[in-house]
């Protein structure tokens, strides 16, 4: 085969892996849409059904409750039917849940439909990063998993934009029902995806795993080496729960995954995203239009800053990017809290507060947003990966639910400035935790990370 043919084959395979990872990442788009649409719709739903603040928190938090349940169920589902068919199940639930949200006659059915959508998100947020980590070459693994996070931010942006335009007509049912369109697209896209080679190998289907790897790796030798590494990592025949009971090193990686997800949520990111119009109102912008367009600005920064993460995750590494992100978030929340406490009320003060909100969003989107998912998919050993990611993903949604269902109460109890200072202190503590425990996994194979973990190396050293 000539050099031109080799170059053409290599380019074709690179395009193939990009398309596969994009289709797998569409689950992130729905993740973002479903978590974002209620941010703009909530004020209209509250009027429609005469909801108290506590009931509004319930409507917002029901999605996270379902997501936590879905994440727990997703581990079992992914183990038995695989990552691909787990995403298919999620897409069907997205379609059904969105339809019921749009047609709901009362708040009880709305809450139930949001729980169903939450289950879909829980399954997708488990299966998609896991699938991407197992299908992408290790040199671009971080970038491809970050693509999932990018589409979450695109989903949030799309939700805020559609909410803003539909808010002029009070069309909250259309806000909630528009999610049906990408849900159908996800279902059709996943149908053409290959199955995870690691999952196929774990089920004794090595020939199929080899065929998939040969299609998505540049050379047959590279595919054979990766298949060999997969088989080597599977020699210890233990399931996740057995491994958790019997192996203290696996318990360490599970604990790290749980800690990482708590860190991601307690940055305060989803408080800002779910209640963006309200926070912008607190900054001094009183009209609905100003608040909605401010939320669009938040989502734009969220999208753009995620491109930074995609560009640097496989160059700068995970640890430096996380340390920078937590530092930016801590500083911006301190300044936002200061502006809210001073209550100056001038135009420049209002805009400065919103700028600090946008800086916070940028700090999260370039670091903890995508990188926590990257790390959680990398640090778990193969035989315990389903169990480990199940626990960490469920933790993410439980922490998410705690924040979504307590923010309005925190504001009433402590005031706006003190609430944001609390989140600033938490971000400072996350800098310390990252420095002490988080490993650098850039450019390291999943099999080498697993070997280092099982040898008993310190958590921060398992990526060496």
């Amino acid at each position: 085969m000539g050099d031109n043919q080799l170059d053409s084959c290599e380019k074709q395979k690179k395009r193939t892996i990009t398309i596969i990872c994009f289709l797998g990442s569409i689950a992130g788009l729905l993740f973002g849409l479903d978590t974002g649409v209620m941010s703009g719709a909530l004020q209209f739903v509250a009027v429609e059904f005469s909801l108290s603040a506590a009931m509004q928190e319930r409507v917002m938090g029901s999605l996270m409750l379902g997501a936590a349940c879905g994440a727990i169920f997703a581990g079992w589902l992914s183990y038995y039917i695989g990552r691909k068919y787990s995403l298919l199940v999620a897409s069907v639930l997205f379609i059904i849940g969105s339809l019921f949200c749009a047609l709901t006659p009362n708040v009880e059915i709305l809450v139930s439909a949001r729980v169903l959508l939450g289950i879909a998100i829980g399954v997708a947020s488990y299966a998609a990063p896991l699938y991407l980590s197992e299908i992408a070459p290790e040199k671009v693994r971080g970038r491809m998993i970050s693509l999932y996070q990018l589409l979450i931010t695109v989903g949030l942006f799309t939700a805020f934009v559609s909410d803003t335009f539909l808010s002029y007509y009070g069309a909250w049912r259309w806000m909630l029902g528009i999610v049906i369109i990408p849900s159908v697209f996800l279902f059709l896209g996943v149908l053409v995806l290959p199955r995870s080679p690691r999952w196929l190998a774990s089920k004794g289907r090595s020939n199929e795993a080899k065929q998939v790897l040969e299609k998505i790796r540049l050379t047959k030798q590279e595919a054979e080496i990766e298949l060999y590494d997969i088989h080597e990592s599977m020699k210890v025949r233990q399931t996740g729960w057995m491994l958790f009971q019997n192996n203290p090193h696996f318990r360490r990686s599970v604990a790290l995954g749980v800690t990482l997800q708590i860190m991601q949520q307690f940055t305060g990111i989803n408080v800002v995203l779910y209640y963006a119009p309200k926070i912008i109102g607190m900054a001094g912008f009183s009209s609905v239009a100003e608040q909605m367009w401010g939320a669009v600005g938040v989502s734009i920064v969220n999208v753009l800053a995620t491109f930074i993460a995609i560009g640097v995750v496989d160059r700068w590494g995970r640890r430096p990017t996380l340390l920078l992100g937590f530092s930016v978030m801590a500083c911006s929340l301190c300044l936002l809290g200061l502006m809210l406490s001073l209550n100056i009320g001038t135009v420049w003060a209002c805009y400065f507060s919103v700028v600090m909100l946008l800086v916070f969003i940028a700090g999260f989107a370039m670091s903890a947003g995508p990188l926590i998912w990257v790390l959680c998919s990398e640090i778990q050993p193969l035989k315990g990966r389903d169990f480990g990611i199940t626990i960490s993903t469920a933790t993410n949604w439980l922490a998410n639910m705690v924040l979504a269902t307590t923010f309005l109460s925190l504001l009433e109890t402590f005031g706006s400035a003190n609430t944001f200072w609390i989140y600033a202190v938490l971000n400072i503590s996350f800098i310390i935790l990252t420095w002490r425990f988080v490993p650098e996994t850039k450019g390291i194979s999943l099999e080498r990370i697993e070997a280092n973990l099982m040898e008993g190396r310190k958590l921060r050293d398992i990526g060496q």
Side-chain angles (χ1 to χ4, degrees), residues 3 37 93 146 176 196 224 239 306 367 378 433-434 452 458:
D3 290 343
V37 289
L93 294 178
S146 293
L176 302 180
S196 161
E224 289 171 358
T239 60
T306 304
S367 60
E378 291 176 331
L433 288 172
T434 300
N452 288 339
K458 292 180 180 179

Side-chain angles (χ1 to χ4, degrees), residues 405-419:
T405 57
T406 58
F407 179 64
L408 297 179
S409 301
L410 278 175
L411 289 177
E412 291 180 359
T413 304
F414 297 105
S416 56
N418 289 330
T419 297

Side-chain angles (χ1 to χ4, degrees), residues 111-376:
V111 168
S112 299
R114 293 270 294 169
V115 170
L116 189 62
L117 283 173
I119 293 172
I121 290 175
V123 172
S125 66
Y126 173 92
L130 184 59
Y131 177 81
L132 294 172
S133 73
E134 294 179 344
I135 208 83
E138 63 186 52
K139 291 182 180 179
V140 296
R141 189 175 61 231
R143 200 176 307 162
M144 289 305 170
I145 300 174
S146 293
L147 177 62
Y148 170 77
Q149 178 66 27
L150 174 64
L151 286 184
I152 292 177
T153 65
V154 171
L156 284 164
F157 168 72
T158 304
F160 286 145
V161 169
S162 64
D163 281 0
T164 298
F165 282 108
L166 292 169
S167 68
Y168 290 102
Y169 309 99
W172 63 267
R173 293 184 185 274
W174 283 96
M175 294 179 189
L176 302 180
I178 202 169
V179 183
I180 295 172
I181 298 171
S183 301
V184 172
F185 188 65
L186 173 65
F187 178 82
L188 297 175
V190 173
L191 285 176
V192 303
L193 292 179
R195 306 200 72 163
S196 161
R198 281 182 171 82
W199 182 84
L200 288 169
S202 73
K203 299 302 179 183
R205 298 160 64 175
S206 295
N207 288 335
E208 293 176 65
K210 184 179 179 182
Q211 290 172 5
V212 172
L213 286 169
E214 287 178 350
K215 291 178 181 178
I216 61 177
R217 297 297 180 259
L218 298 182
T219 64
K220 286 189 175 182
Q221 182 183 13
E222 186 179 340
E224 289 171 358
I225 290 172
E226 184 165 340
L227 186 60
Y228 173 80
D229 287 340
I230 291 171
H231 283 304
E232 284 296 299
S233 68
M234 290 168 54
K235 284 184 177 178
V236 179
R237 295 286 179 179
Q238 297 184 73
T239 60
W241 175 240
M242 290 172 59
L243 191 63
F244 185 79
Q245 288 179 304
N246 300 323
N247 194 305
H249 302 308
F250 179 48
R251 290 197 290 272
R252 291 189 304 141
S253 69
V254 172
L256 179 59
V258 167
T259 302
L260 286 168
Q261 295 289 8
I262 291 174
M263 288 164 61
Q264 187 200 60
Q265 289 305 306
F266 277 82
T267 57
I269 180 61
N270 282 319
V271 161
V272 172
L273 294 177
Y274 297 155
Y275 297 102
K278 184 176 183 64
I279 295 171
I280 291 167
M282 288 159 47
F285 295 93
S286 56
S287 75
V288 172
E290 288 174 332
Q291 293 169 15
M292 295 299 294
W293 282 111
V296 171
V298 165
S299 65
I300 291 173
V301 171
N302 199 17
V303 173
L304 295 178
T306 304
F307 280 107
I308 299 174
I310 292 174
V312 305
V313 62
D314 289 312
R315 286 189 294 157
W316 289 5
R318 284 55 158 160
R319 274 168 56 87
T321 310
L322 279 177
L323 290 169
L324 176 61
F326 287 131
S327 299
V328 169
M329 287 185 279
C331 290
S332 58
L333 288 177
C334 279
L335 291 172
L336 176 59
L338 177 62
M339 296 307 297
L340 293 174
S341 69
L342 293 175
N343 194 25
I344 297 174
T346 61
V347 173
W348 75 265
C350 294
Y351 278 103
F352 183 80
S353 296
V354 172
V355 167
M356 287 301 99
L357 193 65
L358 297 179
V359 170
F360 167 79
I361 290 289
F364 177 85
M366 66 165 284
S367 60
L371 295 192
I372 295 303
W373 293 108
V374 171
L375 283 163
C376 284

